[in-house]
Coordinates of all heavy atoms in Angstrom, one line a residue:
M483 N 1.8 33.7 31.6 CA 0.6 33.1 31.1 C 0.6 33.3 29.6 O 0.2 32.4 28.8 CB -0.6 33.9 31.7 CG -1.9 33.4 31.3 SD -2.1 31.7 31.9 CE -3.8 31.4 31.4
K484 N 1.1 34.4 29.0 CA 1.1 34.7 27.6 C 2.1 33.6 26.9 O 1.8 33.2 25.8 CB 1.5 36.0 27.4 CG 1.3 36.5 25.9 CD 1.5 38.0 25.8 CE 1.1 38.4 24.4 NZ 1.2 39.9 24.2
K485 N 3.2 33.3 27.6 CA 4.1 32.4 27.0 C 3.5 31.0 26.9 O 3.7 30.3 26.0 CB 5.4 32.3 28.0 CG 6.6 31.8 27.3 CD 7.8 31.9 28.3 CE 9.0 31.8 27.5 NZ 10.2 32.0 28.3
I486 N 2.7 30.5 27.9 CA 2.1 29.2 27.8 C 1.1 29.2 26.7 O 1.0 28.1 26.0 CB 1.4 29.0 29.2 CG1 2.4 28.8 30.3 CG2 0.4 27.7 29.1 CD1 1.8 28.6 31.6
I487 N 0.3 30.3 26.4 CA -0.6 30.3 25.3 C 0.1 30.2 24.0 O -0.2 29.5 23.1 CB -1.5 31.5 25.4 CG1 -2.4 31.4 26.6 CG2 -2.3 31.7 24.1 CD1 -3.2 32.7 26.9
S488 N 1.3 30.9 23.9 CA 2.1 30.9 22.6 C 2.6 29.4 22.4 O 2.6 29.0 21.3 CB 3.2 31.8 22.7 OG 2.8 33.2 22.8
I489 N 3.1 28.8 23.4 CA 3.6 27.4 23.3 C 2.4 26.5 22.9 O 2.6 25.6 22.0 CB 4.3 27.0 24.6 CG1 5.5 27.8 24.8 CG2 4.6 25.5 24.6 CD1 6.2 27.5 26.1
S490 N 1.3 26.7 23.5 CA 0.2 25.8 23.2 C -0.3 26.0 21.7 O -0.6 25.1 21.0 CB -1.1 26.2 24.0 OG -0.8 25.9 25.4
K491 N -0.3 27.2 21.2 CA -0.6 27.5 19.8 C 0.4 26.9 18.9 O 0.0 26.3 17.9 CB -0.7 29.0 19.6 CG -2.0 29.6 20.1 CD -2.0 31.1 19.8 CE -3.2 31.8 20.3 NZ -3.2 33.3 20.1
F492 N 1.7 27.0 19.3 CA 2.7 26.4 18.5 C 2.6 24.9 18.4 O 2.7 24.3 17.3 CB 4.1 26.7 19.1 CG 5.2 26.0 18.3 CD1 5.7 26.5 17.2 CD2 5.8 24.9 19.0 CE1 6.7 25.7 16.5 CE2 6.9 24.2 18.3 CZ 7.3 24.6 17.1
I493 N 2.3 24.2 19.5 CA 2.1 22.8 19.5 C 0.9 22.4 18.6 O 0.9 21.5 17.9 CB 2.0 22.3 21.0 CG1 3.3 22.4 21.7 CG2 1.5 20.8 21.0 CD1 3.3 22.1 23.1
L494 N -0.2 23.1 18.8 CA -1.4 22.9 18.0 C -1.1 23.0 16.5 O -1.5 22.1 15.8 CB -2.5 23.8 18.4 CG -3.8 23.7 17.7 CD1 -4.4 22.3 17.9 CD2 -4.8 24.8 18.1
V495 N -0.4 24.0 16.1 CA -0.1 24.2 14.7 C 0.8 23.1 14.3 O 0.6 22.6 13.1 CB 0.6 25.7 14.5 CG1 1.2 25.7 13.1 CG2 -0.5 26.7 14.7
L496 N 1.8 22.7 15.0 CA 2.7 21.6 14.7 C 2.0 20.3 14.5 O 2.2 19.6 13.6 CB 3.8 21.5 15.8 CG 4.9 20.4 15.5 CD1 5.6 20.7 14.2 CD2 5.8 20.3 16.7
V497 N 1.1 20.0 15.4 CA 0.3 18.8 15.3 C -0.6 18.8 14.1 O -0.6 17.8 13.3 CB -0.6 18.6 16.6 CG1 -1.6 17.5 16.4 CG2 0.3 18.3 17.9
L498 N -1.2 19.9 13.8 CA -2.1 20.0 12.6 C -1.2 19.8 11.3 O -1.7 19.2 10.4 CB -2.9 21.3 12.6 CG -4.0 21.4 13.7 CD1 -4.6 22.8 13.6 CD2 -5.1 20.4 13.5
F499 N -0.1 20.4 11.4 CA 0.8 20.3 10.2 C 1.2 18.8 10.0 O 1.1 18.3 8.8 CB 2.0 21.2 10.4 CG 3.1 21.0 9.3 CD1 2.9 21.5 8.0 CD2 4.2 20.3 9.5 CE1 3.9 21.3 7.0 CE2 5.1 20.1 8.5 CZ 4.9 20.6 7.3
L500 N 1.6 18.2 11.0 CA 2.1 16.8 10.9 C 0.9 15.9 10.5 O 1.0 15.0 9.7 CB 2.7 16.2 12.2 CG 4.0 16.9 12.6 CD1 4.4 16.5 14.0 CD2 5.1 16.6 11.6
L501 N -0.3 16.1 11.0 CA -1.4 15.3 10.7 C -1.9 15.5 9.2 O -2.3 14.7 8.4 CB -2.6 15.6 11.5 CG -2.5 15.0 12.9 CD1 -3.8 15.5 13.7 CD2 -2.5 13.5 12.9
S502 N -1.7 16.8 8.7 CA -2.0 17.0 7.3 C -1.1 16.4 6.2 O -1.4 16.2 5.1 CB -2.0 18.5 7.0 OG -0.7 19.0 7.1
N503 N 0.1 16.0 6.7 CA 1.1 15.4 5.8 C 1.0 13.8 5.8 O 1.8 13.2 5.2 CB 2.5 15.8 6.2 CG 2.7 17.3 5.6 OD1 2.2 17.7 4.7 ND2 3.5 18.0 6.4
L504 N 0.2 13.2 6.7 CA 0.0 11.8 6.8 C -0.7 11.3 5.5 O -1.6 11.9 5.0 CB -0.7 11.4 8.0 CG -0.1 11.6 9.3 CD1 -1.0 11.1 10.4 CD2 1.2 10.8 9.4
T505 N -0.2 10.2 5.0 CA -0.9 9.5 3.8 C -1.4 8.2 4.3 O -0.7 7.4 5.0 CB 0.0 9.4 2.6 OG1 1.2 8.7 3.0 CG2 0.4 10.8 2.1
V506 N -2.6 7.9 3.9 CA -3.1 6.6 4.2 C -3.0 5.7 2.9 O -3.5 6.1 1.9 CB -4.6 6.8 4.6 CG1 -5.2 5.4 4.9 CG2 -4.7 7.6 5.8
K507 N -2.4 4.6 3.1 CA -2.2 3.7 1.9 C -3.3 2.6 2.0 O -3.5 1.9 3.1 CB -0.8 3.1 1.9 CG 0.2 4.1 1.7 CD 1.6 3.5 1.6 CE 2.7 4.5 1.3 NZ 3.9 4.0 1.1
A508 N -3.9 2.4 0.9 CA -4.9 1.3 0.9 C -4.2 0.0 0.5 O -3.1 0.0 -0.1 CB -6.0 1.6 -0.2
I509 N -4.6 -1.1 1.1 CA -4.1 -2.4 0.7 C -5.1 -3.2 -0.1 O -6.2 -3.4 0.3 CB -3.8 -3.2 2.1 CG1 -2.8 -2.5 2.9 CG2 -3.4 -4.6 1.7 CD1 -2.5 -3.1 4.2
N510 N -4.7 -3.5 -1.3 CA -5.5 -4.2 -2.2 C -5.1 -5.6 -2.2 O -4.0 -6.1 -2.6 CB -5.3 -3.7 -3.7 CG -5.7 -2.2 -3.8 OD1 -6.7 -1.8 -3.3 ND2 -4.9 -1.4 -4.5
E511 N -6.0 -6.5 -1.6 CA -5.7 -7.9 -1.5 C -6.1 -8.6 -2.8 O -7.2 -8.4 -3.3 CB -6.5 -8.5 -0.3 CG -6.0 -7.9 1.0 CD -6.6 -8.6 2.2 OE1 -6.9 -9.7 2.1 OE2 -6.7 -7.9 3.2
I512 N -5.2 -9.4 -3.4 CA -5.4 -10.0 -4.7 C -5.1 -11.5 -4.6 O -4.2 -11.9 -4.0 CB -4.4 -9.3 -5.7 CG1 -4.5 -7.8 -5.7 CG2 -4.6 -10.0 -7.1 CD1 -5.7 -7.3 -6.3
E513 N -6.0 -12.2 -5.3 CA -5.7 -13.6 -5.6 C -6.7 -14.1 -6.6 O -7.7 -13.4 -6.9 CB -5.8 -14.5 -4.3 CG -7.2 -14.7 -3.8 CD -7.2 -15.6 -2.5 OE1 -6.8 -16.7 -2.7 OE2 -7.6 -15.2 -1.5
G514 N -6.4 -15.2 -7.3 CA -7.4 -15.7 -8.3 C -7.0 -15.5 -9.7 O -5.8 -15.3 -10.0
V515 N -8.0 -15.3 -10.5 CA -7.8 -15.2 -12.0 C -8.0 -13.8 -12.4 O -9.1 -13.2 -12.1 CB -8.6 -16.2 -12.7 CG1 -8.4 -16.1 -14.2 CG2 -8.4 -17.6 -12.4
I516 N -7.1 -13.2 -13.1 CA -7.2 -11.9 -13.7 C -7.8 -12.1 -15.1 O -7.1 -12.7 -16.0 CB -5.9 -11.1 -13.7 CG1 -5.5 -10.8 -12.3 CG2 -6.1 -9.8 -14.5 CD1 -4.1 -10.1 -12.1
V517 N -9.0 -11.7 -15.5 CA -9.6 -12.1 -16.7 C -9.7 -10.9 -17.7 O -10.1 -11.0 -18.8 CB -11.1 -12.6 -16.5 CG1 -11.0 -13.9 -15.7 CG2 -11.9 -11.6 -15.7
K518 N -9.4 -9.7 -17.2 CA -9.4 -8.5 -18.1 C -8.1 -7.7 -17.8 O -7.4 -7.9 -16.9 CB -10.6 -7.6 -17.8 CG -10.7 -7.1 -16.4 CD -11.9 -6.2 -16.3 CE -11.9 -5.5 -14.9 NZ -13.0 -4.6 -14.8
D519 N -7.8 -6.8 -18.7 CA -6.6 -6.0 -18.6 C -6.6 -5.3 -17.3 O -7.6 -4.7 -16.9 CB -6.4 -5.0 -19.8 CG -6.1 -5.7 -21.1 OD1 -5.8 -7.0 -21.1 OD2 -6.3 -5.1 -22.2
T520 N -5.6 -5.4 -16.6 CA -5.4 -4.8 -15.2 C -4.1 -4.1 -15.1 O -3.1 -4.5 -15.5 CB -5.5 -5.9 -14.1 OG1 -6.7 -6.7 -14.4 CG2 -5.5 -5.5 -12.8
I521 N -4.2 -3.0 -14.4 CA -2.9 -2.1 -14.1 C -2.8 -2.0 -12.6 O -3.7 -1.7 -11.8 CB -3.0 -0.7 -14.7 CG1 -3.2 -0.8 -16.2 CG2 -1.8 0.0 -14.3 CD1 -3.5 0.5 -16.9
W522 N -1.6 -2.5 -12.1 CA -1.3 -2.3 -10.7 C -0.4 -1.0 -10.7 O 0.6 -1.0 -11.3 CB -0.5 -3.4 -10.1 CG -1.3 -4.7 -10.0 CD1 -2.7 -4.8 -10.1 CD2 -0.9 -6.0 -9.5 NE1 -3.1 -6.1 -9.8 CE2 -2.0 -6.8 -9.5 CE3 0.4 -6.4 -9.2 CZ2 -1.9 -8.2 -9.1 CZ3 0.5 -7.7 -8.8 CH2 -0.7 -8.6 -8.7
G523 N -0.9 0.1 -10.1 CA -0.3 1.4 -10.2 C 0.6 1.7 -9.0 O 0.6 1.0 -8.0
S524 N 1.3 2.7 -9.2 CA 2.2 3.3 -8.2 C 1.6 4.4 -7.5 O 2.2 5.4 -7.2 CB 3.6 3.6 -8.8 OG 3.4 4.7 -9.7
D525 N 0.3 4.3 -7.2 CA -0.5 5.3 -6.6 C -0.2 5.4 -5.0 O -1.0 6.1 -4.3 CB -2.0 5.2 -6.9 CG -2.5 3.9 -6.6 OD1 -1.8 3.0 -6.0 OD2 -3.7 3.6 -6.9
G526 N 0.7 4.6 -4.6 CA 0.9 4.6 -3.1 C 0.2 3.5 -2.4 O 0.4 3.2 -1.2
N527 N -0.7 2.7 -3.0 CA -1.4 1.6 -2.5 C -0.4 0.4 -2.5 O 0.4 0.4 -3.4 CB -2.7 1.4 -3.2 CG -3.7 2.5 -3.0 OD1 -3.5 3.3 -2.0 ND2 -4.6 2.7 -3.9
V528 N -0.7 -0.6 -1.7 CA 0.0 -1.8 -1.6 C -0.8 -2.9 -2.1 O -2.0 -3.1 -1.9 CB 0.5 -2.1 -0.2 CG1 1.1 -3.4 0.0 CG2 1.3 -0.9 0.5
I529 N -0.2 -3.7 -3.0 CA -0.8 -4.9 -3.5 C -0.4 -6.1 -2.6 O 0.9 -6.4 -2.5 CB -0.4 -5.3 -4.9 CG1 -0.6 -4.0 -5.9 CG2 -1.0 -6.5 -5.4 CD1 -2.1 -3.7 -6.1
L530 N -1.3 -6.8 -1.9 CA -1.1 -7.9 -1.1 C -1.5 -9.1 -1.8 O -2.8 -9.3 -2.0 CB -1.7 -7.7 0.3 CG -1.5 -8.9 1.2 CD1 -0.1 -9.1 1.6 CD2 -2.3 -8.6 2.6
V531 N -0.6 -10.0 -2.2 CA -1.0 -11.2 -2.9 C -1.3 -12.3 -1.8 O -0.3 -12.7 -1.1 CB 0.1 -11.7 -3.9 CG1 -0.2 -13.0 -4.5 CG2 0.4 -10.6 -4.9
N532 N -2.5 -12.8 -1.8 CA -2.9 -13.7 -0.7 C -2.9 -15.1 -1.3 O -3.0 -16.1 -0.5 CB -4.4 -13.5 -0.4 CG -4.4 -12.3 0.6 OD1 -3.5 -12.1 1.4 ND2 -5.5 -11.6 0.6
G533 N -2.6 -15.4 -2.6 CA -2.6 -16.8 -3.1 C -2.1 -16.7 -4.5 O -1.5 -15.7 -5.0
D534 N -2.4 -17.8 -5.2 CA -1.9 -17.8 -6.6 C -2.7 -16.9 -7.4 O -3.9 -16.6 -7.2 CB -2.2 -19.3 -7.2 CG -1.3 -20.3 -6.5 OD1 -0.2 -19.9 -6.0 OD2 -1.6 -21.5 -6.6
I535 N -2.1 -16.3 -8.4 CA -2.7 -15.4 -9.4 C -2.4 -16.0 -10.8 O -1.3 -16.3 -11.1 CB -2.1 -14.0 -9.3 CG1 -2.5 -13.4 -8.0 CG2 -2.6 -13.1 -10.5 CD1 -1.9 -12.0 -7.8
T536 N -3.5 -16.1 -11.6 CA -3.4 -16.5 -12.9 C -3.9 -15.4 -13.8 O -4.9 -14.8 -13.5 CB -4.2 -17.8 -13.2 OG1 -3.8 -18.8 -12.3 CG2 -4.1 -18.4 -14.6
I537 N -3.2 -15.1 -14.9 CA -3.6 -14.2 -15.9 C -4.2 -14.9 -17.1 O -3.5 -15.7 -17.7 CB -2.5 -13.2 -16.3 CG1 -2.0 -12.5 -15.0 CG2 -3.0 -12.2 -17.3 CD1 -0.6 -11.9 -15.2
A538 N -5.5 -14.8 -17.3 CA -6.2 -15.5 -18.3 C -5.7 -15.2 -19.7 O -5.2 -14.0 -19.9 CB -7.7 -15.3 -18.2
K539 N -5.9 -16.1 -20.6 CA -5.5 -15.8 -22.0 C -6.2 -14.6 -22.5 O -7.4 -14.5 -22.4 CB -5.8 -17.0 -22.9 CG -5.3 -17.0 -24.3 CD -5.5 -18.2 -25.0 CE -4.8 -18.1 -26.3 NZ -4.9 -19.4 -27.1
G540 N -5.5 -13.7 -23.1 CA -6.0 -12.4 -23.7 C -6.0 -11.3 -22.7 O -6.3 -10.1 -23.1
A541 N -5.8 -11.6 -21.4 CA -5.7 -10.5 -20.5 C -4.3 -10.1 -20.2 O -3.3 -10.9 -20.5 CB -6.3 -10.9 -19.2
T542 N -4.0 -8.9 -19.8 CA -2.7 -8.3 -19.6 C -2.7 -7.7 -18.2 O -3.6 -7.0 -17.8 CB -2.4 -7.2 -20.6 OG1 -2.4 -7.7 -21.9 CG2 -0.9 -6.7 -20.3
L543 N -1.6 -8.0 -17.5 CA -1.3 -7.5 -16.2 C -0.1 -6.5 -16.3 O 0.9 -6.9 -16.7 CB -1.0 -8.4 -15.1 CG -0.5 -7.9 -13.7 CD1 -1.6 -7.0 -13.1 CD2 -0.1 -9.0 -12.8
T544 N -0.4 -5.2 -16.1 CA 0.7 -4.2 -16.2 C 1.1 -3.7 -14.8 O 0.1 -3.3 -14.0 CB 0.3 -2.9 -17.0 OG1 -0.1 -3.4 -18.3 CG2 1.4 -1.9 -17.2
I545 N 2.3 -3.8 -14.4 CA 2.8 -3.4 -13.1 C 3.6 -2.2 -13.3 O 4.7 -2.2 -13.9 CB 3.5 -4.5 -12.4 CG1 2.7 -5.7 -12.2 CG2 4.1 -4.0 -11.0 CD1 3.5 -7.0 -11.7
Q546 N 3.2 -1.0 -12.9 CA 3.9 0.2 -13.0 C 5.1 0.3 -12.1 O 5.0 -0.2 -11.1 CB 2.9 1.4 -12.9 CG 1.9 1.5 -13.9 CD 0.9 2.7 -13.7 OE1 0.8 3.2 -12.7 NE2 0.4 3.1 -14.8
P547 N 6.2 1.0 -12.5 CA 7.3 1.3 -11.7 C 6.9 1.9 -10.4 O 6.0 2.8 -10.4 CB 8.1 2.2 -12.5 CG 7.7 2.1 -13.9 CD 6.3 1.7 -13.9
G548 N 7.5 1.5 -9.3 CA 7.2 2.0 -8.0 C 6.0 1.3 -7.2 O 5.8 1.6 -6.1
T549 N 5.4 0.3 -7.8 CA 4.3 -0.4 -7.3 C 4.9 -1.3 -6.2 O 5.8 -2.0 -6.4 CB 3.6 -1.2 -8.3 OG1 3.1 -0.3 -9.3 CG2 2.5 -2.0 -7.6
V550 N 4.3 -1.3 -5.0 CA 4.7 -2.2 -3.9 C 3.9 -3.4 -3.9 O 2.6 -3.3 -3.8 CB 4.6 -1.4 -2.5 CG1 4.9 -2.4 -1.4 CG2 5.4 -0.2 -2.5
I551 N 4.5 -4.5 -4.1 CA 3.8 -5.8 -4.0 C 4.3 -6.6 -2.8 O 5.5 -6.9 -2.7 CB 4.0 -6.6 -5.3 CG1 3.6 -5.7 -6.5 CG2 3.3 -7.9 -5.3 CD1 3.9 -6.3 -7.9
K552 N 3.4 -7.1 -2.0 CA 3.8 -8.0 -0.8 C 3.1 -9.3 -1.0 O 2.0 -9.4 -1.6 CB 3.5 -7.3 0.5 CG 4.2 -6.0 0.7 CD 4.0 -5.4 2.1 CE 4.8 -4.2 2.2 NZ 4.8 -3.7 3.6
F553 N 3.7 -10.4 -0.5 CA 3.1 -11.7 -0.5 C 2.8 -12.2 0.8 O 3.7 -12.2 1.8 CB 4.1 -12.6 -1.2 CG 4.4 -12.3 -2.7 CD1 5.4 -11.4 -3.0 CD2 3.7 -12.8 -3.7 CE1 5.6 -11.0 -4.3 CE2 3.9 -12.5 -5.0 CZ 4.9 -11.6 -5.3
Q554 N 1.6 -12.6 1.0 CA 1.1 -13.1 2.3 C 1.7 -14.6 2.5 O 1.7 -15.4 1.7 CB -0.4 -13.2 2.3 CG -1.1 -13.8 3.6 CD -0.8 -12.8 4.7 OE1 -1.0 -11.6 4.6 NE2 -0.7 -13.3 5.9
T555 N 2.2 -14.8 3.7 CA 2.8 -16.1 4.1 C 1.5 -17.0 4.5 O 0.7 -16.5 5.3 CB 3.7 -16.0 5.3 OG1 4.8 -15.2 4.9 CG2 4.2 -17.4 5.6
P556 N 1.5 -18.2 3.9 CA 0.4 -19.1 4.4 C 0.4 -19.3 5.9 O 1.4 -19.2 6.6 CB 0.7 -20.4 3.6 CG 1.5 -20.0 2.5 CD 2.3 -18.8 2.9
S557 N -0.8 -19.7 6.5 CA -0.8 -19.8 7.9 C 0.2 -20.9 8.5 O 0.5 -20.9 9.6 CB -2.2 -20.2 8.3 OG -2.7 -21.4 7.7
N558 N 0.5 -21.9 7.6 CA 1.5 -23.0 8.0 C 2.9 -22.5 8.0 O 3.8 -23.2 8.5 CB 1.3 -24.2 7.2 CG 1.7 -24.1 5.8 OD1 2.2 -23.1 5.3 ND2 1.4 -25.1 5.0
G559 N 3.1 -21.2 7.5 CA 4.5 -20.7 7.6 C 5.3 -21.1 6.3 O 6.5 -20.7 6.2
Y560 N 4.8 -22.0 5.5 CA 5.5 -22.5 4.3 C 5.0 -21.9 3.1 O 3.7 -21.6 3.0 CB 5.5 -24.0 4.3 CG 6.1 -24.7 5.4 CD1 5.4 -25.2 6.5 CD2 7.5 -24.8 5.5 CE1 6.1 -25.8 7.6 CE2 8.2 -25.3 6.6 CZ 7.4 -25.8 7.6 OH 8.0 -26.4 8.7
G561 N 5.7 -21.8 2.2 CA 5.2 -21.2 0.8 C 6.3 -20.3 0.1 O 7.1 -19.8 0.8
D562 N 6.1 -20.4 -1.2 CA 7.0 -19.5 -2.0 C 6.5 -18.1 -2.1 O 5.3 -17.9 -2.2 CB 7.2 -20.1 -3.4 CG 7.8 -21.5 -3.4 OD1 8.7 -21.7 -2.5 OD2 7.4 -22.3 -4.2
K563 N 7.3 -17.2 -2.0 CA 7.0 -15.8 -2.2 C 7.8 -15.4 -3.4 O 9.0 -15.0 -3.3 CB 7.4 -14.9 -1.0 CG 6.6 -15.3 0.2 CD 7.1 -14.4 1.4 CE 6.4 -14.7 2.7 NZ 6.8 -13.9 3.7
C564 N 7.2 -15.5 -4.5 CA 7.9 -15.2 -5.7 C 7.0 -14.7 -6.8 O 5.8 -14.9 -6.8 CB 8.8 -16.3 -6.2 SG 7.8 -17.8 -6.8
L565 N 7.6 -14.0 -7.8 CA 6.9 -13.6 -9.0 C 7.5 -14.3 -10.2 O 8.7 -14.1 -10.4 CB 6.9 -12.1 -9.1 CG 6.3 -11.4 -10.2 CD1 4.7 -11.7 -10.2 CD2 6.5 -9.9 -10.2
I566 N 6.8 -15.0 -10.9 CA 7.2 -15.7 -12.1 C 6.6 -15.1 -13.3 O 5.3 -15.1 -13.4 CB 6.9 -17.2 -12.1 CG1 7.6 -17.9 -10.8 CG2 7.4 -17.9 -13.3 CD1 7.1 -19.3 -10.6
V567 N 7.4 -14.6 -14.2 CA 6.9 -13.9 -15.4 C 7.4 -14.8 -16.6 O 8.6 -15.0 -16.8 CB 7.4 -12.5 -15.5 CG1 6.9 -11.9 -16.8 CG2 7.1 -11.7 -14.3
L568 N 6.4 -15.2 -17.4 CA 6.7 -16.1 -18.6 C 6.4 -15.3 -19.8 O 5.6 -14.5 -19.9 CB 5.9 -17.3 -18.6 CG 6.1 -18.2 -17.3 CD1 5.0 -19.3 -17.3 CD2 7.4 -18.7 -17.2

C-alpha cells in the first residue's frame, strides 16, 4: 500500500512539473495598414498574416530576430505567401 502511495505522489509531482513548464503562445492576427511604428517581437507569440499588409508613409515595422511569422492561405487555396521588403 505504501508503494502505491509513493508512486501516486511521484506521478502527481511529475504531472505538476510538466504542466508548469508549458508555455501558451498567443496568435496575433494581422492584416491591413500599419499607421504607426510597430514592433513584432520574439516574445514567443506568433504573427499570423491574414491578408495584405501595407506600412503607411512615416511608419516603421521592426521585426525582431526570432519572431515567428505565418501566412494564412486563402480559402480558395491559392495565394502568395511571401514577404516583400522594399
